[in-house]
Amino acid sequence: MDKNLKKDFLLETLSFYEAMSFENIILDFDSEKLKSIGDFSRDELEEILSELVKEKKLKLTKINGEPRWQKVFKKKKRFWFF
């Protein structure tokens, strides 16, 4: 299946407000969309999460030694003219 489709699905699942553990991400998956995407292995999910962190779309934090991911709200650049 298309990797970009899986990235988009994962970004829809993650939250701006709360850092989510691996288990929380899996539990929050939309089951109907997951059926349409197909197989989604743990290794592939971890690889996509690390790519999204590198792309600065996600922030990785560790709470009690457990990795947690949170969506990053991109700030718009503002130009101030005086």
Side-chain angles (χ1 to χ4, degrees):
M1 201 68 192
D2 185 24
K3 197 170 201 175
N4 289 329
L5 183 64
K6 290 182 180 184
K7 279 185 181 182
D8 292 339
F9 174 69
L10 191 56
L11 284 172
E12 288 176 12
T13 304
L14 288 158
S15 172
F16 283 112
Y17 305 108
E18 174 185 354
M20 299 175 72
S21 68
F22 193 80
E23 291 79 20
N24 290 348
I25 294 170
I26 292 171
L27 290 173
D28 282 355
F29 278 159
D30 181 12
S31 59
E32 293 301 317
K33 272 195 167 181
L34 188 59
K35 287 178 187 176
S36 67
I37 289 177
D39 294 340
F40 213 89
S41 69
R42 180 180 177 109
D43 293 334
E44 187 176 17
L45 180 59
E46 289 175 348
E47 178 184 333
I48 292 171
L49 285 168
S50 66
E51 286 177 15
L52 289 170
V53 169
K54 288 178 186 175
E55 294 172 9
K56 297 185 180 181
K57 292 183 180 181
L58 297 181
K59 179 174 72 169
L60 174 64
T61 57
K62 290 203 176 193
I63 299 174
N64 296 331
E66 182 179 346
R68 295 183 183 250
W69 296 269
Q70 184 174 7
K71 246 197 287 193
V72 174
F73 183 73
K74 292 219 175 191
K75 296 179 183 176
K76 293 183 180 180
K77 293 182 179 179
R78 296 186 188 190
F79 295 100
W80 295 93
F81 296 101
F82 294 98

